[in-house]
Amino acid sequence: MVTSIARVALSVPRHEPFDYRIPESMSHQIYPGVPVRVPFGPSKRVGWVVELVDHSPHPKLRDIECRVPDGAELPADLLGLLQWTAEYYLCGIGEVIESAVPRPVRNRRIRQVRWVQLTDEGKKIDPQDSGGQARTKILEQLGTNTDPIPLRRLIETCSTSESPVKTLSRLGLVEIFEGLPPEFGTPGTENLEPPPWEQPPPFEPNPDQWQAIDRINSCLESAEFRTFLLHGVTGSGKTEVYIRCIQKVLEKGQGALVLLPEIALTPQAVERFTQRLGPVAVLHSMLPDTERAVHYERLRRGEVRIALGARSAVFAPVPDLGIIVVDESHESSYKQENSPRYHARDVAVMRAHRLEIPCILGSATPSMESLENVRRGRYEQLRLDSRVNGRPMAQIEIVDRRSESVGKGRGGLLSDRLVERIRSTLGRGEQVLLFLNRRGFARNLQCKSCGYSVHCKQCDIPLTYHKKKDHSQCHYCGERQSVSDRCPRCKFGGLRQRSPGTERIEKSLIALFPDVEIGRLDRDTVTSSARMEAILGRFRAGKTGILVGTQMVAKGHDIPGVTLVGVLDADIALGLPDFRSAERAAQLLCQVAGRAGRGELPGHVVLQTRQPEHYALLCAARQDLDQLLKEEDVVRKLLKYPPHGHLARLLCEDPDERRVIQSAQGLVDAMKECPGDSVQILGPAPAPLERLRGRYRQHILLKCTDRKPIRDVARIALDEKPKWASTRISVDIDPQNML
Ligand code: ADP
Ligand code: ZN
């Protein structure tokens, strides 16, 4: 029996592919990975064939209309990866393809155009002898430059029609060929740049770097899958390791994929790779759609062999991929926060595994999950323990906000000590970076006087205070406690707190330092990558004396003039109702501290807190995460949090508060009926962000030591979905965000 049915992935949330009949006439053109046009309801849609089958449970199938001409085919290995992603994260294959393939490519708005070029014969002939006015004009136009010209433009410029061009082509004087439209550049000119590895390297790697490079290269030679955790302090030269390994891959004629967090994909970072490796395709969400599509197509056609991009670039169509690099691999932004909720770091490792190639996860502050994988022998750790050229790490000074006096009108976050430091730094002509991690959400209960912070005994996360209802609640298990305004430890009255944001700090700074240019980098001032570059550009050029910002300033920027970094309120990160808050806080502080003293001058960090004895801060201050992680590990093991257990989070959202509680409870009841009790079901509890964009939110946590039972239980919840049609229900496997 012949296979006559194609399963087609359409972009419909969490849906199986749809079955269509393959008309006899198309049977040779239709196979997995091919884009097709199909009827869908009253309209037509483009989708991708994911599988061919003999039978369908559906009695009445419609026909595939056609294969999309020139459509972007998904190579088999990539299609396999996309299918794995849909399966593992419990989402629809169509949704996964949608986030992997840029919109213009999906909608096939990129058409081939015809180009015209002189042949060798055509170059020799005198245009006057070509036998006609139009032909002469055309040859003259083409002769002004050796590059090909789009046919349409040529006709327009010469005010003629297609026919004389065709005649010239028949005479062998010009060549007409199909190529990408001019936005993609002129065909044949991309490869004029010299092979990048012939450029002299700017410096010789140090022994630590060589050791890492050699180890990874030996894996490249034997073409084996291995995940390396390149654990190197900030400024230890990890990028040089990536570059050398990628050069090796290019020499073998293969391609490379480099992932960076969105925010780190500045033109500066792109240039660093381009200078050493030649042309790269850049893929990230701040690029306009068509530009992304251009880069995507170049990769797919093998014209560019290196993809550099953010999260979704993990699905970049690099032919013959030889290595994957995930820089800053601890970053939670690698996890997509809406469907499909994949983790690009984990997908990257899976992709490397399927292709049997090495994967490098770089970080100064690896996640506990990655370190646990090292301990279990799944990853191999390579360390770069010192900064290049022996530059010292920044000195970290902890300022105790409980005792330090803070002048009036400074919002309580510019201590005398810090102001004094800023003044002397500016006095030496150096620059200051101030960091305020304000997520708009941090009403945890912390005593202003002694720094005590109230936690849930069962879940070990900070309790959140609800002013209206006047109680505090654990947002994992739902348990409530009434609190008096008096601190249980020191009896100080006034547990409630509010802190100012970056804008307020900027105002205070302007008043304190009227002659200094002050910049601000946060979601309000950064509306595009160009805006961000403009603000950072002024800072890099030394025009801005003080830059104040949110987590955006914490990462990736390499500005030699910065010698003082101030962390205005280290307690905010510690107070988030998330079991990873201590780990995250320490990582963030190490990253911020890594911004100080990247140039020749030594750096200094001032860290303001009300909990100077908190182990996460002490460890961050010593830039020693190992100790912190050891302590964290005990708690994680006890409560079976990752990396010693697995989690899934079910989120219910509904404009009606009563209904959302009902549906969340309904899901829990259904899941509890399922046999097997290896999965612990926590909740339903209100999500820490209880209301968002007009919807009430309840969440349920699933916890288990194995991965599979969690997905089985979560599937039950998804099957219940139709019963609660008005409630939006989503599943997050391996969640990173618990808000
Ligand atoms: P990381 O990514 O680990 O934070 P980078 O790769 O950005 O560190 O390196 C920090 C700086 O040191 C960069 O300016 C880089 O050009 C330089 N560098 C890297 N390796 C060497 C080396 N072996 N010798 C001299 N300079 C180096
Ligand atoms: Zn709890």
Side-chain angles (χ1 to χ4, degrees):
M1 167 143 189
V2 287
T3 49
S4 54
I5 296 165
R7 311 204 70 207
V8 178
L10 296 175
S11 157
V12 178
R14 212 193 92 74
H15 207 295
E16 291 275 296
F18 295 82
D19 293 352
Y20 286 90
R21 211 166 35 217
I22 306 171
E24 189 72 41
S25 59
M26 288 179 208
S27 59
H28 299 293
Q29 314 167 27
I30 305 292
Y31 47 89
V34 162
V36 289
R37 240 167 90 93
V38 294
F40 189 78
S43 62
K44 312 275 182 200
R45 288 210 188 188
V46 170
W48 270 263
V49 176
V50 292
E51 203 184 344
L52 299 184
V53 291
D54 300 332
H55 299 286
S56 169
H58 307 288
K60 272 167 112 188
L61 295 185
R62 298 168 83 177
D63 278 359
I64 288 179
E65 189 182 286
C66 65
R67 175 181 167 155
V68 178
D70 297 331
E73 216 177 282
L74 292 168
D77 63 316
L78 190 51
L79 180 62
L81 182 74
L82 296 165
Q83 283 172 308
W84 175 85
T85 305
E87 168 70 24
Y88 182 80
Y89 292 100
L90 301 181
C91 49
I93 174 73
E95 291 175 282
V96 181
I97 294 178
E98 186 177 349
S99 57
V101 183
R103 186 171 323 166
V105 178
R106 282 202 315 273
N107 298 349
R108 209 179 58 86
R109 272 200 263 112
I110 300 168
R111 296 236 164 98
Q112 297 267 12
V113 301
R114 279 176 294 169
W115 292 78
V116 190
Q117 188 174 26
L118 286 180
T119 58
D120 289 344
E121 209 55 30
K123 281 179 198 152
K124 283 185 215 140
I125 189 172
D126 184 343
Q128 303 295 340
D129 301 339
S130 59
Q133 214 181 354
R135 293 189 213 165
T136 304
K137 248 189 183 166
I138 291 165
L139 289 180
E140 275 175 357
Q141 185 63 32
L142 287 168
T144 53
N145 189 321
T146 52
D147 293 344
I149 300 177
L151 175 63
R152 180 150 306 188
R153 194 187 300 161
L154 182 68
I155 292 172
E156 259 172 42
T157 326
C158 303
S159 356
T160 174
S161 69
E162 261 186 54
S163 96
V165 185
K166 282 196 172 147
T167 313
L168 286 169
S169 160
R170 242 182 331 223
L171 294 170
L173 299 176
V174 306
E175 181 194 357
I176 303 176
F177 61 95
E178 298 239 312
L180 288 172
E183 307 87 274
F184 287 73
T186 308
T189 56
E190 304 90 1
N191 303 324
L192 294 180
E193 295 174 57
W197 54 88
E198 283 174 16
Q199 288 171 13
F203 40 68
E204 182 66 12
N206 62 34
D208 281 355
Q209 286 170 319
W210 266 132
Q211 203 166 16
I213 295 164
D214 285 343
R215 185 66 197 100
I216 299 163
N217 281 353
S218 78
C219 249
L220 284 171
E221 262 152 31
S222 57
E224 64 182 289
F225 162 63
R226 187 166 288 269
T227 308
F228 294 99
L229 181 67
L230 183 61
H231 185 177
V233 296
T234 48
S236 59
K238 292 185 287 294
T239 311
E240 186 61 25
V241 175
Y242 308 150
I243 287 174
R244 298 265 174 162
C245 296
I246 293 171
Q247 284 173 337
K248 179 100 184 169
V249 166
L250 295 177
E251 279 174 49
K252 287 174 65 184
Q254 293 184 304
L257 170 58
V258 182
L259 300 182
L260 297 174
E262 185 88 33
I263 213 74
L265 270 166
T266 57
Q268 195 197 16
V270 176
E271 196 182 304
R272 224 175 135 185
F273 283 92
T274 319
Q275 270 176 357
R276 299 283 301 284
L277 296 168
V280 303
V282 183
L283 300 165
H284 64 91
S285 68
M286 282 199 205
L287 284 181
D289 264 359
T290 34
E291 215 172 299
R292 249 174 84 203
V294 166
H295 284 288
Y296 186 92
E297 280 297 284
R298 283 221 174 122
L299 273 178
R300 206 172 64 79
R301 288 155 197 261
E303 291 168 11
V304 179
R305 284 184 297 156
I306 304 167
L308 186 62
R311 188 172 56 224
S312 67
V314 72
F315 301 116
V318 183
D320 197 8
L321 186 58
I323 196 168
I324 305 178
V325 173
V326 184
D327 193 25
E328 312 282 1
S329 60
H330 61 278
E331 275 287 319
S332 58
S333 67
Y334 281 121
K335 175 81 184 189
Q336 176 142 306
E337 292 299 352
N338 43 40
S339 194
R341 295 179 160 78
Y342 62 93
H343 198 308
R345 177 200 59 204
D346 297 343
V347 176
V349 172
M350 181 45 75
R351 187 169 185 183
H353 175 66
R354 298 170 64 99
L355 293 171
E356 302 198 4
I357 58 171
C359 179
I360 311 177
L361 307 180
S363 177
T365 53
S367 70
M368 290 184 66
E369 283 88 340
S370 293
L371 290 169
E372 181 63 17
N373 279 324
V374 170
R375 215 183 52 77
R376 294 193 192 168
R378 291 207 198 111
Y379 295 178
E380 178 174 336
Q381 181 159 240
L382 302 169
R383 294 192 70 135
L384 304 177
D385 282 328
S386 49
R387 285 186 154 184
V388 293
N389 296 336
R391 283 175 202 156
M393 297 299 287
Q395 284 232 332
I396 302 187
E397 172 185 8
I398 294 185
V399 169
D400 188 347
R401 288 181 59 209
R402 295 170 307 182
S403 54
E404 185 66 22
S405 82
V406 169
K408 270 216 169 79
R410 294 192 218 149
L413 282 176
L414 294 169
S415 64
D416 289 349
R417 184 81 191 116
L418 179 59
V419 171
E420 188 186 302
R421 280 272 177 198
I422 295 175
R423 192 158 278 137
S424 59
T425 305
L426 294 173
R428 288 191 303 273
E430 296 159 16
Q431 291 170 289
V432 180
L433 192 63
L434 298 180
F435 170 71
L436 182 59
N437 179 26
R438 167 93 38 243
R439 270 204 79 154
F441 170 91
R443 285 170 299 279
N444 66 313
L445 286 172
Q446 196 200 6
C447 175
K448 270 187 188 171
S449 171
C450 78
Y452 177 82
S453 132
V454 190
H455 279 60
C456 170
K457 289 191 183 63
Q458 186 180 322
C459 307
D460 194 51
I461 60 160
L463 295 183
T464 304
Y465 178 66
H466 295 261
K467 196 176 166 199
K468 255 204 219 131
K469 300 176 198 151
D470 195 35
H471 65 226
S472 61
Q473 185 169 32
C474 168
H475 282 278
Y476 281 12
C477 69
E479 174 134 325
R480 287 177 201 173
Q481 285 181 19
S482 64
V483 280
S484 74
D485 207 30
R486 217 159 264 295
C487 170
R489 190 161 78 185
C490 76
K491 310 295 179 232
F492 173 84
L495 273 182
R496 200 175 51 83
Q497 64 160 338
R498 276 221 166 269
S499 298
T502 41
E503 197 178 342
R504 174 72 204 282
I505 297 294
E506 184 190 21
K507 276 207 188 104
S508 312
L509 287 168
I510 291 170
L512 281 166
F513 304 100
D515 306 329
V516 177
E517 181 178 311
I518 291 159
R520 174 156 69 94
L521 200 67
D522 56 28
R523 243 168 247 175
D524 298 329
T525 60
V526 174
T527 41
S528 66
S529 58
R531 278 292 298 150
M532 178 158 98
E533 240 341 89
I535 296 169
L536 283 172
R538 289 194 72 77
F539 194 48
R540 211 174 284 128
K543 294 191 182 96
T544 307
I546 308 173
L547 183 66
V548 51
T550 54
Q551 44 264 60
M552 283 186 184
V553 303
K555 297 166 193 162
H557 312 303
D558 194 349
I559 296 160
V562 175
T563 57
L564 176 65
V565 170
V567 178
L568 299 181
D569 189 350
D571 300 335
I572 294 172
L574 290 173
L576 289 179
D578 184 330
F579 72 93
R580 289 192 179 91
S581 63
E583 178 191 3
R584 291 261 171 79
Q587 283 173 339
L588 196 61
L589 297 173
C590 283
Q591 294 286 341
V592 181
R595 297 310 112 209
R598 306 264 299 177
E600 299 301 321
L601 303 163
H604 193 92
V605 178
V606 172
L607 209 158
Q608 304 189 128
T609 174
R610 288 202 183 96
Q611 313 170 70
E613 69 290 338
H614 195 294
Y615 63 96
L617 300 187
L618 292 176
C619 294
R622 288 199 307 267
Q623 303 250 349
D624 173 15
L625 286 194
D626 296 353
Q627 185 55 36
L628 163 71
L629 300 182
K630 244 183 242 155
E631 304 211 17
E632 270 296 287
D633 209 52
V634 178
V635 181
R636 302 270 182 105
K637 228 179 222 154
L638 198 70
L639 298 175
K640 296 202 177 63
Y641 283 131
H644 298 290
H646 300 281
L647 287 180
R649 180 193 192 216
L650 299 171
L651 182 67
C652 300
E653 296 172 286
D654 197 304
D656 185 306
E657 189 172 12
R658 268 226 322 271
R659 221 163 41 201
V660 77
I661 294 172
Q662 277 170 5
S663 35
Q665 190 59 53
L667 293 185
V668 169
D669 294 343
M671 289 188 291
K672 284 201 168 141
E673 272 174 30
C674 132
D677 52 3
S678 64
V679 178
Q680 195 186 344
I681 302 171
L682 283 176
L689 292 170
E690 273 195 72
R691 240 188 116 190
L692 195 64
R693 287 176 218 109
R695 289 194 161 81
Y696 290 90
R697 306 161 87 239
Q698 290 272 323
H699 70 172
I700 301 158
L701 287 185
L702 307 181
K703 217 199 271 183
C704 184
T705 42
D706 295 319
R707 283 178 196 276
K708 193 166 173 304
I710 287 207
R711 302 221 312 283
D712 293 343
V713 172
R715 246 188 227 112
I716 297 176
L718 286 174
D719 291 342
E720 288 286 301
K721 232 170 141 170
K723 274 198 208 154
W724 312 100
S726 70
T727 305
R728 191 193 284 169
I729 297 170
S730 50
V731 177
D732 193 353
I733 303 288
D734 305 335
Q736 287 287 318
N737 175 358
M738 300 298 215
L739 302 181

